[in-house]
């Protein structure tokens, strides 16, 4: 097989176990490509890819790039000195960025791309699940698993392809969607953007990639999104649909009523009220669902059918995912790592608990550059919890920045009145947190790094001093 200008009949993925890379590898394997790759460690995702026929090596070495490979696929996280990347260049093997590979996979489909500083994975997932419920069998590529390892992507028989569009490295400029969603626009990814104006320019470029006659679905509530709307208003061949609680929204959210860990949403669409259930907690998730509704309608899906189907979405792994319960304490995993996301998840949990218990958080900051710029805001977000434990910064792809440590967040949290504790020994955190918790509490592991691995350990520590652990089905809190 050969996709567009890039030969993907025998691709080799460096970092194949990553959220974005693994999804593309899965789709290509299902389409019949001879897929190979490497990753730093074994994982459930790697096992799922092998089950599809992919050859996956652990560790990075030049000899892992097989003979006959048609291209080597990389993400922005792959460093220039990676031995497999160096070997590909030495052998003259074409190097393809992940975004170019995704753009090639979307070729010939009705593409729907979801962008924004926050909420992309959730909104893309909502659309994938709802369209699937309606029998439309869309293809999709998401930055997180829906309900099992390898469920972050699907090669569908339908004409729609739903994709998460990443602004962090400007790679979303490669796509040409028929419908695009912009949920919000904020300054983030400080290693790649020097100012909010650069962010706006990047999103303007993305909007300019919408095919003639296509539709931009954009928030009417978020200041950054409204600024973007004003910048692109009047472009020829572009339909703009605004969504939100603002009075001037084209699709207006009339109410969001919490019912425990679900919400009843009522919107005004084309002059008629439409009510539906969102099976995950929090106002921000309800607004994501309304954006998904508007985007599906722009593709011609009947609004009433899509609204009902959106209720089938029960979450994505790491987005308020209930990991288990022990000694009367629920442990929940949150991917939130930007202050806006942290605040939204903590407010959603508060609303769902309705004062019935304490909210405890173990937070792992993600990236030195993000901490340098947003430590104050992160600290204020943690003040929404009853008590917090802050770990050392997860570096991911970055080198340390002198003077930038998690103490910046701790100091900010204390200024905001938070009860906060530093824990520099990652392995000591589960025992510390189990000791803080008491029956009725809800404990969040929060961050985009390996803090997610603490959940099972915390549950084991809780079980050793309380009732037996009760593992819960994969899914999100509801």
């Amino acid at each position: 097989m050969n996709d567009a200008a890039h030969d993907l009949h025998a691709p080799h993925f460096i970092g194949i176990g990553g959220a974005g890379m693994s999804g593309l590898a899965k789709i290509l394997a299902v389409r019949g490509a001879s897929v190979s790759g490497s990753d730093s460690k074994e994982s459930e995702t790697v096992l799922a890819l092998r089950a599809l026929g992919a050859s996956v090596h652990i560790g990075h070495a030049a000899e892992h790039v097989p003979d006959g490979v048609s291209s080597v696929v990389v993400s922005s996280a792959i460093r220039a000195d990676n031995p497999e990347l160096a070997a590909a260049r030495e052998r003259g093997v074409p190097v393809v960025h992940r975004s170019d590979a995704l753009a090639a996979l979307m070729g010939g489909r009705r593409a729907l791309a979801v962008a924004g500083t926050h909420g992309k994975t959730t909104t893309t997932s909502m659309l994938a699940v709802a369209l699937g419920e309606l029998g439309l069998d869309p293809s999709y590529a998401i930055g997180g698993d829906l309900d099992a390892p390898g469920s972050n992507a699907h090669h569908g028989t339908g004409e729609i392809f739903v994709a998460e569009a990443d602004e962090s490295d400007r790679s979303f400029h490669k796509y040409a969607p028929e419908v695009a969603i912009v949920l919000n626009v904020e300054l983030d990814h400080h290693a790649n953007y020097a100012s909010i104006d650069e962010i706006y320019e990047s999103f303007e470029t993305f909007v300019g990639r919408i095919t003639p006659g296509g539709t931009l679905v954009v928030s009417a509530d978020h200041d950054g999104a409204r600024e973007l709307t004003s910048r692109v208003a009047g472009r020829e061949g572009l339909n703009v649909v605004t969504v939100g609680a603002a009075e001037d929204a084209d699709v207006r959210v009339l109410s969001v009523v919490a019912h425990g860990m679900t919400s009843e949403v009522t919107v005004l669409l084309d002059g008629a009220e439409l009510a539906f259930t969102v099976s995950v907690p929090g106002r921000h998730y309800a607004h994501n669902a309304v954006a998904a509704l508007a985007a599906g309608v722009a593709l011609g899906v009947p609004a009433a059918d899509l609204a009902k189907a959106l209720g089938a979405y029960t979450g994505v792994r790491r987005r308020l995912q209930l990991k288990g319960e022990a000694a009367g304490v629920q442990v929940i995993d949150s991917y939130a790592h930007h202050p806006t996301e942290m605040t939204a998840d903590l407010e959603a949990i508060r609303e769902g608990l309705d004062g019935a218990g304490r909210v405890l958080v173990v937070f792992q900051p993600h990236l030195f550059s993000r901490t340098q710029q947003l430590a104050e805001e992160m600290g204020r977000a943690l003040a929404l919890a009853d008590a917090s434990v802050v770990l050392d910064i997860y570096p991911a792809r970055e080198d340390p920045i002198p003077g930038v440590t998690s103490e910046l967040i701790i100091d900010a949290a204390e200024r905001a009145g938070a009860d906060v504790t530093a824990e520099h020994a990652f392995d000591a955190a589960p025992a510390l947190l189990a000791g803080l918790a008491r029956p009725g509490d809800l404990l969040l592991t929060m961050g985009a790094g390996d803090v997610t691995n603490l959940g099972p350990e915390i549950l084991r520590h809780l079980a050793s001093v309380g009732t037996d652990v009760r593992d819960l089905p994969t899914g999100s809190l509801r």
Side-chain angles (χ1 to χ4, degrees), residues 228-266:
L228 177 66
T229 302
S230 70
R231 290 182 178 219
V232 303
R235 286 192 181 182
E236 185 176 354
L238 178 66
N239 302 304
V240 178
V241 176
T242 59
V243 298
E247 291 188 3
D248 60 349
D250 298 317
V251 179
R252 188 179 174 194
V253 180
L254 298 178
S255 66
V256 178
V257 180
H259 297 291
M261 293 302 169
T262 68
S263 298
E264 186 75 15
V265 185
T266 303

Short mmCIF file of all heavy atoms in Angstrom, two decimals, residues 228-266:
data_model
loop_
_atom_site.label_atom_id
_atom_site.label_comp_id
_atom_site.label_asym_id
_atom_site.label_seq_id
_atom_site.Cartn_x
_atom_site.Cartn_y
_atom_site.Cartn_z
N LEU A 228 -9.80 34.29 18.31
CA LEU A 228 -9.54 33.57 17.05
C LEU A 228 -10.71 33.75 16.09
O LEU A 228 -10.49 33.99 14.88
CB LEU A 228 -9.32 32.09 17.34
CG LEU A 228 -9.11 31.20 16.11
CD1 LEU A 228 -7.82 31.56 15.39
CD2 LEU A 228 -9.15 29.72 16.49
N THR A 229 -11.93 33.66 16.59
CA THR A 229 -13.10 33.83 15.74
C THR A 229 -13.10 35.20 15.07
O THR A 229 -13.39 35.33 13.87
CB THR A 229 -14.39 33.64 16.55
OG1 THR A 229 -14.39 32.33 17.14
CG2 THR A 229 -15.63 33.80 15.68
N SER A 230 -12.76 36.22 15.84
CA SER A 230 -12.73 37.57 15.27
C SER A 230 -11.66 37.69 14.19
O SER A 230 -11.82 38.44 13.22
CB SER A 230 -12.50 38.61 16.36
OG SER A 230 -11.18 38.54 16.88
N ARG A 231 -10.58 36.94 14.33
CA ARG A 231 -9.49 37.02 13.36
C ARG A 231 -9.82 36.31 12.05
O ARG A 231 -9.28 36.67 11.00
CB ARG A 231 -8.21 36.41 13.96
CG ARG A 231 -7.60 37.25 15.09
CD ARG A 231 -6.32 36.62 15.60
NE ARG A 231 -5.69 37.44 16.65
CZ ARG A 231 -4.37 37.62 16.76
NH1 ARG A 231 -3.54 37.06 15.89
NH2 ARG A 231 -3.89 38.36 17.74
N VAL A 232 -10.67 35.27 12.11
CA VAL A 232 -10.97 34.50 10.90
C VAL A 232 -12.34 34.80 10.33
O VAL A 232 -12.70 34.28 9.26
CB VAL A 232 -10.84 32.98 11.17
CG1 VAL A 232 -9.45 32.65 11.69
CG2 VAL A 232 -11.91 32.51 12.14
N ALA A 233 -13.11 35.64 11.01
CA ALA A 233 -14.46 35.97 10.54
C ALA A 233 -14.40 36.58 9.15
O ALA A 233 -13.54 37.40 8.84
CB ALA A 233 -15.13 36.94 11.51
N GLY A 234 -15.33 36.16 8.32
CA GLY A 234 -15.42 36.73 6.99
C GLY A 234 -14.56 36.05 5.94
O GLY A 234 -14.57 36.46 4.77
N ARG A 235 -13.83 35.02 6.32
CA ARG A 235 -13.03 34.32 5.32
C ARG A 235 -13.95 33.65 4.31
O ARG A 235 -14.91 32.98 4.67
CB ARG A 235 -12.12 33.27 5.98
CG ARG A 235 -10.94 33.85 6.73
CD ARG A 235 -9.94 32.76 7.10
NE ARG A 235 -8.80 33.29 7.82
CZ ARG A 235 -7.76 32.57 8.22
NH1 ARG A 235 -7.73 31.27 7.95
NH2 ARG A 235 -6.76 33.12 8.88
N GLU A 236 -13.62 33.80 3.08
CA GLU A 236 -14.44 33.23 2.02
C GLU A 236 -14.38 31.70 2.08
O GLU A 236 -13.33 31.10 2.26
CB GLU A 236 -13.93 33.71 0.66
CG GLU A 236 -14.79 33.27 -0.51
CD GLU A 236 -14.31 33.83 -1.83
OE1 GLU A 236 -13.37 34.65 -1.82
OE2 GLU A 236 -14.88 33.44 -2.87
N GLY A 237 -15.56 31.09 1.95
CA GLY A 237 -15.64 29.64 1.93
C GLY A 237 -15.57 28.98 3.28
O GLY A 237 -15.48 27.75 3.36
N LEU A 238 -15.63 29.76 4.37
CA LEU A 238 -15.57 29.22 5.72
C LEU A 238 -16.87 29.47 6.46
O LEU A 238 -17.30 30.62 6.60
CB LEU A 238 -14.40 29.84 6.50
CG LEU A 238 -14.26 29.39 7.96
CD1 LEU A 238 -13.88 27.91 8.04
CD2 LEU A 238 -13.22 30.24 8.70
N ASN A 239 -17.49 28.39 6.93
CA ASN A 239 -18.66 28.51 7.80
C ASN A 239 -18.19 28.44 9.25
O ASN A 239 -17.41 27.56 9.60
CB ASN A 239 -19.64 27.36 7.54
CG ASN A 239 -20.10 27.30 6.10
OD1 ASN A 239 -20.63 28.28 5.59
ND2 ASN A 239 -19.89 26.17 5.44
N VAL A 240 -18.64 29.37 10.06
CA VAL A 240 -18.25 29.41 11.46
C VAL A 240 -19.47 29.16 12.34
O VAL A 240 -20.49 29.84 12.19
CB VAL A 240 -17.60 30.75 11.84
CG1 VAL A 240 -17.25 30.78 13.33
CG2 VAL A 240 -16.36 31.00 11.00
N VAL A 241 -19.38 28.17 13.22
CA VAL A 241 -20.45 27.84 14.16
C VAL A 241 -19.87 27.99 15.57
O VAL A 241 -18.94 27.27 15.93
CB VAL A 241 -20.98 26.41 13.95
CG1 VAL A 241 -22.03 26.07 15.01
CG2 VAL A 241 -21.56 26.25 12.56
N THR A 242 -20.41 28.92 16.34
CA THR A 242 -19.93 29.11 17.71
C THR A 242 -20.81 28.32 18.68
O THR A 242 -22.02 28.19 18.48
CB THR A 242 -19.94 30.60 18.09
OG1 THR A 242 -21.28 31.12 17.97
CG2 THR A 242 -19.01 31.39 17.18
N VAL A 243 -20.19 27.78 19.74
CA VAL A 243 -20.91 26.96 20.71
C VAL A 243 -20.55 27.40 22.12
O VAL A 243 -19.42 27.81 22.38
CB VAL A 243 -20.60 25.46 20.53
CG1 VAL A 243 -21.03 24.97 19.17
CG2 VAL A 243 -19.11 25.18 20.73
N GLY A 244 -21.51 27.35 23.02
CA GLY A 244 -21.23 27.69 24.41
C GLY A 244 -22.43 28.30 25.10
O GLY A 244 -23.54 28.36 24.55
N ALA A 245 -22.19 28.78 26.32
CA ALA A 245 -23.26 29.38 27.12
C ALA A 245 -23.48 30.86 26.79
O ALA A 245 -24.49 31.43 27.21
CB ALA A 245 -22.93 29.23 28.60
N ALA A 246 -22.58 31.48 26.05
CA ALA A 246 -22.72 32.89 25.69
C ALA A 246 -24.01 33.12 24.92
O ALA A 246 -24.43 32.28 24.11
CB ALA A 246 -21.52 33.34 24.86
N GLU A 247 -24.63 34.26 25.16
CA GLU A 247 -25.92 34.54 24.53
C GLU A 247 -25.84 34.60 23.02
O GLU A 247 -26.84 34.36 22.33
CB GLU A 247 -26.49 35.85 25.08
CG GLU A 247 -26.92 35.77 26.55
CD GLU A 247 -27.64 37.03 27.01
OE1 GLU A 247 -27.86 37.93 26.16
OE2 GLU A 247 -27.99 37.11 28.19
N ASP A 248 -24.67 34.93 22.47
CA ASP A 248 -24.56 35.04 21.03
C ASP A 248 -24.08 33.75 20.37
O ASP A 248 -23.78 33.74 19.17
CB ASP A 248 -23.63 36.19 20.64
CG ASP A 248 -22.20 36.01 21.19
OD1 ASP A 248 -22.00 35.10 22.01
OD2 ASP A 248 -21.31 36.78 20.77
N ALA A 249 -24.01 32.64 21.12
CA ALA A 249 -23.55 31.38 20.55
C ALA A 249 -24.57 30.85 19.54
O ALA A 249 -25.78 30.91 19.76
CB ALA A 249 -23.32 30.36 21.65
N ASP A 250 -24.07 30.30 18.45
CA ASP A 250 -24.96 29.70 17.46
C ASP A 250 -25.62 28.44 18.00
O ASP A 250 -26.79 28.17 17.73
CB ASP A 250 -24.18 29.36 16.18
CG ASP A 250 -23.60 30.59 15.52
OD1 ASP A 250 -24.31 31.61 15.44
OD2 ASP A 250 -22.43 30.54 15.08
N VAL A 251 -24.86 27.62 18.72
CA VAL A 251 -25.40 26.48 19.44
C VAL A 251 -25.22 26.79 20.91
O VAL A 251 -24.11 26.74 21.44
CB VAL A 251 -24.69 25.16 19.06
CG1 VAL A 251 -25.28 23.99 19.85
CG2 VAL A 251 -24.79 24.91 17.56
N ARG A 252 -26.31 27.17 21.56
CA ARG A 252 -26.21 27.73 22.91
C ARG A 252 -26.51 26.69 23.97
O ARG A 252 -27.51 25.96 23.91
CB ARG A 252 -27.18 28.90 23.05
CG ARG A 252 -27.00 29.65 24.37
CD ARG A 252 -27.95 30.83 24.47
NE ARG A 252 -27.86 31.44 25.78
CZ ARG A 252 -28.75 32.31 26.27
NH1 ARG A 252 -29.79 32.67 25.53
NH2 ARG A 252 -28.61 32.81 27.47
N VAL A 253 -25.63 26.61 24.95
CA VAL A 253 -25.83 25.74 26.11
C VAL A 253 -26.75 26.45 27.09
O VAL A 253 -26.38 27.47 27.68
CB VAL A 253 -24.50 25.39 26.79
CG1 VAL A 253 -24.73 24.48 27.99
CG2 VAL A 253 -23.54 24.74 25.80
N LEU A 254 -27.96 25.94 27.24
CA LEU A 254 -28.94 26.58 28.13
C LEU A 254 -28.74 26.15 29.58
O LEU A 254 -28.92 26.95 30.50
CB LEU A 254 -30.36 26.23 27.68
CG LEU A 254 -30.75 26.71 26.27
CD1 LEU A 254 -32.18 26.26 25.95
CD2 LEU A 254 -30.64 28.23 26.16
N SER A 255 -28.35 24.89 29.78
CA SER A 255 -28.14 24.43 31.16
C SER A 255 -27.29 23.17 31.17
O SER A 255 -27.30 22.38 30.21
CB SER A 255 -29.48 24.14 31.86
OG SER A 255 -30.14 23.04 31.26
N VAL A 256 -26.56 23.01 32.26
CA VAL A 256 -25.83 21.77 32.56
C VAL A 256 -26.16 21.43 34.00
O VAL A 256 -25.77 22.14 34.93
CB VAL A 256 -24.31 21.94 32.38
CG1 VAL A 256 -23.59 20.64 32.75
CG2 VAL A 256 -23.95 22.37 30.97
N VAL A 257 -26.91 20.36 34.20
CA VAL A 257 -27.36 19.97 35.53
C VAL A 257 -26.67 18.67 35.93
O VAL A 257 -26.80 17.65 35.25
CB VAL A 257 -28.90 19.78 35.56
CG1 VAL A 257 -29.34 19.38 36.97
CG2 VAL A 257 -29.60 21.06 35.12
N ALA A 258 -25.90 18.73 37.03
CA ALA A 258 -25.16 17.56 37.49
C ALA A 258 -26.11 16.59 38.20
O ALA A 258 -26.97 16.99 38.99
CB ALA A 258 -24.06 17.98 38.44
N HIS A 259 -25.94 15.31 37.89
CA HIS A 259 -26.64 14.23 38.58
C HIS A 259 -25.57 13.23 39.01
O HIS A 259 -25.26 12.29 38.29
CB HIS A 259 -27.67 13.57 37.68
CG HIS A 259 -28.78 14.47 37.23
ND1 HIS A 259 -29.75 14.94 38.09
CD2 HIS A 259 -29.06 15.02 36.02
CE1 HIS A 259 -30.60 15.71 37.44
NE2 HIS A 259 -30.19 15.79 36.18
N GLY A 260 -24.98 13.46 40.20
CA GLY A 260 -23.87 12.63 40.62
C GLY A 260 -22.71 12.79 39.66
O GLY A 260 -22.19 13.89 39.48
N MET A 261 -22.33 11.71 39.01
CA MET A 261 -21.20 11.75 38.09
C MET A 261 -21.62 11.79 36.62
O MET A 261 -20.86 11.42 35.74
CB MET A 261 -20.28 10.56 38.35
CG MET A 261 -19.59 10.65 39.70
SD MET A 261 -18.61 12.17 39.88
CE MET A 261 -18.22 12.13 41.62
N THR A 262 -22.85 12.23 36.37
CA THR A 262 -23.30 12.48 35.00
C THR A 262 -23.89 13.89 34.94
O THR A 262 -24.09 14.54 35.98
CB THR A 262 -24.36 11.47 34.54
OG1 THR A 262 -25.56 11.67 35.29
CG2 THR A 262 -23.88 10.04 34.73
N SER A 263 -24.17 14.35 33.73
CA SER A 263 -24.77 15.68 33.56
C SER A 263 -25.88 15.61 32.52
O SER A 263 -25.79 14.87 31.53
CB SER A 263 -23.72 16.70 33.09
OG SER A 263 -22.69 16.85 34.02
N GLU A 264 -26.93 16.39 32.75
CA GLU A 264 -28.00 16.57 31.78
C GLU A 264 -27.79 17.91 31.12
O GLU A 264 -27.74 18.95 31.78
CB GLU A 264 -29.37 16.51 32.46
CG GLU A 264 -30.54 16.55 31.49
CD GLU A 264 -30.76 15.23 30.76
OE1 GLU A 264 -30.18 14.20 31.21
OE2 GLU A 264 -31.49 15.23 29.76
N VAL A 265 -27.62 17.90 29.81
CA VAL A 265 -27.29 19.10 29.04
C VAL A 265 -28.47 19.47 28.16
O VAL A 265 -29.04 18.62 27.48
CB VAL A 265 -26.04 18.87 28.17
CG1 VAL A 265 -25.64 20.17 27.47
CG2 VAL A 265 -24.89 18.33 28.99
N THR A 266 -28.82 20.75 28.17
CA THR A 266 -29.86 21.26 27.28
C THR A 266 -29.27 22.35 26.41
O THR A 266 -28.64 23.29 26.92
CB THR A 266 -31.05 21.81 28.06
OG1 THR A 266 -31.57 20.80 28.93
CG2 THR A 266 -32.16 22.27 27.10
#
